[in-house]
Amino acid sequence: MLKRKMYDYLINWKKNKGKECLLIKGARQVGKTYLVRMFGNAEYESFIEINFHKQSSLKVIFEGDKSANEIYKRITANIPGIKLIPEKTLIFLDEIQKCSNARTALKFLAEDGRYDIIASGSLLGLAYGQDDDREVEEVESVPVGYEKSVMMYSLDFEEFLWAYGYEADTIDYLRSFFDSKEKIPPEINQKFESILREYLVVGGMPEVVANFIEYQDFGKVQEIQDKILASYSDDISQHAKGAEKVKVRKCYDSIPRQLAKENKKFKYSEVENKATARKFGDSIQWLHDANMAYICCNTTTPMLPLNAYEKDNEFKLYINDTGLLMALFGFATKQALLNGNLKGFAKGGIYENFVAETLVKNGYTLHYYKPDDNSELEFIVEKDGGVIPIEVKAGNTATKSMNSFIDSFSPTVAYKLVSGNIGEIDSKVTLPHFLTMFI
């Protein structure tokens, strides 16, 4: 059983939810359904699950009168043997995008408050007009004020360490170096750099991680990742509209190629010869809204708020799970990375993808800063009332762009992420990649 940070979030929601249902969003295969089942069975006397994809006949429960009394009456009429125990029952509405009446009814169930309600679904980020699945229904009325949304992701590196068997004291030990900026003992640093390489290859998809922890078999890792990638392809085929299906697929397939180049700015010409934003712009937005890829925009000015200075036509795309990116690169690339033999621009793209993924999971919005052709910082983030630069190096090379940024904007701290150890010169802090989890 994998320990997830989201479980503690659910515990806190249960204690402090007030008049709100919880809506869990996230890409397919990140563990939403499994986690809610585990939570419901462990924390409640009664757990009721309705999956509108597998049990489409149960949509009848939410047809007609949407008062809480009538809905609960229809639940007992359509699901035999259940127990509705006030304040001790969790009702889980899974794949709720396939039942718009259930989404609308969340308001009335929240107002009633007798039972806790969690809803979830894949591709909930897609606007109604973006989804071609005929079973996905437009919501008549979104329950604003009665629905708390939270995004769930694949396992981050800290959760991967938990799966490996490392306890909180080990995480605290690593954090102490991040806080003190003291050098990590070389054998410890090398050990966690090695584990990070495994994480880059395995990724954070729960099924992949659980299998790897049990069997330590990278061949099986690839098999499961290929299966997940096939399900993503099916999602594109089922949910992208009309001609957009082919375009979304082309954009997704181009991401590994683009990250393997020196200049990782997304180029439509890499998707298709002479392609333009007019043709493929909606496809990029679809991948972002489906949580299959993260957009990182260039900003003209590293000042708050960063989104006010975005260049809409200059951005990078990152895969939502670095393990899936590695699966797209193929087994030989995985082997080279694990053995420390991988060279070239693809290595830099892999580490950039890991940092992008980690920053998103830590709650940041992605931006980069490229003021001219001779200077680029892979990421800048809003933190503690200022803008913090983050430079990512696959090795431990010079930092001309970082030094220029520090001279021009005097950030309180600037992070250089490397394959190496900790160092500190004035505001510039060098960190091994695996300590990104603490930024």
Side-chain angles (χ1 to χ4, degrees):
M1 183 176 69
L2 298 174
K3 180 182 176 183
R4 302 300 305 272
K5 294 178 181 178
M6 184 61 71
Y7 195 94
D8 290 336
Y9 182 95
L10 295 180
I11 292 290
N12 290 329
W13 168 78
K14 184 175 186 288
K15 292 179 180 177
N16 306 296
K17 63 185 180 304
K19 295 288 186 179
E20 283 185 322
C21 301
L22 184 65
L23 180 68
I24 303 178
K25 300 180 178 181
R28 194 176 300 281
Q29 305 284 348
V30 297
K32 301 184 297 294
T33 299
Y34 180 85
L35 182 74
V36 177
R37 283 177 185 162
M38 183 172 65
F39 174 69
N41 286 312
E43 306 295 337
Y44 292 83
E45 288 188 26
S46 176
F47 174 63
I48 300 167
E49 178 179 348
I50 299 174
N51 185 306
F52 293 111
H53 177 65
K54 295 179 180 178
Q55 303 163 292
S56 58
S57 62
L58 295 183
K59 291 182 182 180
V60 69
I61 292 171
F62 295 91
E63 294 176 357
D65 189 332
K66 291 183 178 58
S67 67
N69 282 335
E70 288 300 315
I71 289 172
Y72 293 137
K73 187 190 302 182
R74 290 195 290 265
I75 287 178
T76 61
N78 286 276
I79 310 177
I82 63 167
K83 293 181 180 179
L84 286 171
I85 308 170
E87 299 183 358
K88 298 180 180 180
T89 297
L90 175 64
I91 299 174
F92 178 34
L93 306 176
D94 202 6
E95 302 295 349
I96 196 171
Q97 74 276 5
K98 294 182 180 292
C99 185
S100 61
N101 285 330
R103 182 82 178 274
T104 300
L106 292 181
K107 173 183 177 180
F108 309 109
L109 301 183
E111 285 179 327
D112 178 77
R114 278 176 287 174
Y115 315 109
D116 291 355
I117 311 292
I118 294 180
S120 183
S122 301
L123 306 179
L124 278 170
L126 295 178
Y128 177 67
Q130 290 178 297
D131 202 321
D132 201 38
D133 184 354
R134 295 181 181 179
E135 293 184 21
V136 173
E137 303 172 349
E138 184 175 13
V139 180
E140 179 182 335
S141 175
V142 176
V144 178
Y146 298 91
E147 171 188 274
K148 182 178 180 64
S149 295
V150 62
M151 188 67 69
M152 185 172 175
Y153 304 99
S154 61
L155 279 78
D156 63 22
F157 184 58
E158 183 176 357
E159 291 172 312
F160 186 76
L161 292 177
W162 293 344
Y164 233 123
Y166 290 100
E167 303 292 341
D169 56 349
T170 301
I171 307 299
D172 291 341
Y173 176 67
L174 294 176
R175 185 185 291 274
S176 70
F177 293 105
F178 176 84
D179 292 337
S180 68
K181 308 300 184 291
E182 294 179 4
K183 286 193 177 297
I184 304 171
E187 66 278 9
I188 299 296
N189 195 54
Q190 292 170 11
K191 179 178 184 178
F192 283 96
E193 282 190 334
S194 177
I195 295 174
L196 176 63
R197 289 195 294 272
E198 291 187 354
Y199 175 72
L200 296 178
V201 169
V202 174
M205 291 299 183
E207 183 182 0
V208 184
V209 174
N211 188 278
F212 176 73
I213 294 301
E214 182 174 359
Y215 298 106
Q216 301 286 295
D217 186 334
F218 289 103
K220 289 184 177 179
V221 164
Q222 182 73 37
E223 289 177 9
I224 300 172
Q225 289 171 332
D226 286 342
K227 183 183 70 173
I228 293 172
L229 289 169
S231 74
Y232 278 19
S233 180
D234 290 343
D235 279 343
I236 293 171
S237 298
Q238 181 179 0
H239 294 275
K241 293 182 73 68
E244 208 66 38
K245 299 179 190 298
V246 174
K247 292 190 286 184
V248 170
R249 182 76 222 189
K250 283 185 175 182
C251 288
Y252 188 77
D253 289 344
S254 80
I255 298 175
R257 296 197 305 272
Q258 307 221 28
L259 289 178
K261 296 183 179 297
E262 181 178 12
N263 180 4
K264 295 168 177 56
K265 172 190 168 185
F266 190 88
K267 296 179 180 178
Y268 293 104
S269 59
E270 290 289 335
V271 180
E272 185 178 276
N273 189 35
K274 298 182 180 180
T276 63
R278 175 174 293 183
K279 181 173 182 179
F280 286 99
D282 288 345
S283 300
I284 300 299
Q285 190 63 44
W286 194 98
L287 287 170
H288 172 73
D289 292 346
N291 298 300
M292 292 173 61
Y294 302 133
I295 297 175
C296 180
C297 287
N298 189 12
T299 56
T300 60
T301 308
M303 297 177 62
L304 299 178
L306 290 175
N307 59 8
Y309 305 103
E310 291 177 352
K311 292 183 176 181
D312 292 338
N313 61 334
E314 293 186 17
F315 61 92
K316 301 177 186 179
L317 272 189
Y318 297 102
I319 298 288
N320 65 344
D321 182 86
T322 305
L324 295 183
L325 172 65
M326 293 297 295
L328 290 166
F329 276 136
F331 198 82
T333 303
K334 288 183 174 184
Q335 183 182 40
L337 183 72
L338 288 168
N339 293 333
N341 299 325
L342 185 62
K343 302 183 185 303
F345 299 123
K347 182 179 180 182
I350 291 165
Y351 279 94
E352 268 193 47
N353 201 96
F354 161 71
V355 173
E357 177 191 353
T358 302
L359 292 174
V360 168
K361 291 174 178 178
N362 285 354
Y364 294 106
T365 300
L366 299 179
H367 294 91
Y368 73 101
Y369 182 60
K370 186 176 175 60
D372 53 58
D373 291 339
N374 300 314
S375 181
E376 178 178 336
L377 282 170
E378 284 76 17
F379 302 101
I380 54 175
V381 297
E382 298 178 356
K383 182 178 174 66
D384 298 331
V387 174
I388 303 300
I390 300 173
E391 190 167 40
V392 183
K393 297 291 186 181
N396 191 356
T397 53
T399 58
K400 180 181 176 181
S401 297
M402 176 70 83
N403 294 339
S404 176
F405 187 96
I406 292 172
D407 290 342
S408 298
F409 301 105
S410 303
T412 56
V413 65
Y415 292 113
K416 176 185 175 184
L417 304 175
V418 303
S419 294
N421 212 313
I422 294 177
E424 185 177 24
I425 301 176
D426 298 324
S427 63
K428 183 167 68 177
V429 177
T430 300
L431 299 173
H433 296 108
F434 61 84
L435 290 186
T436 307
M437 61 182 171
F438 298 128
I439 293 178

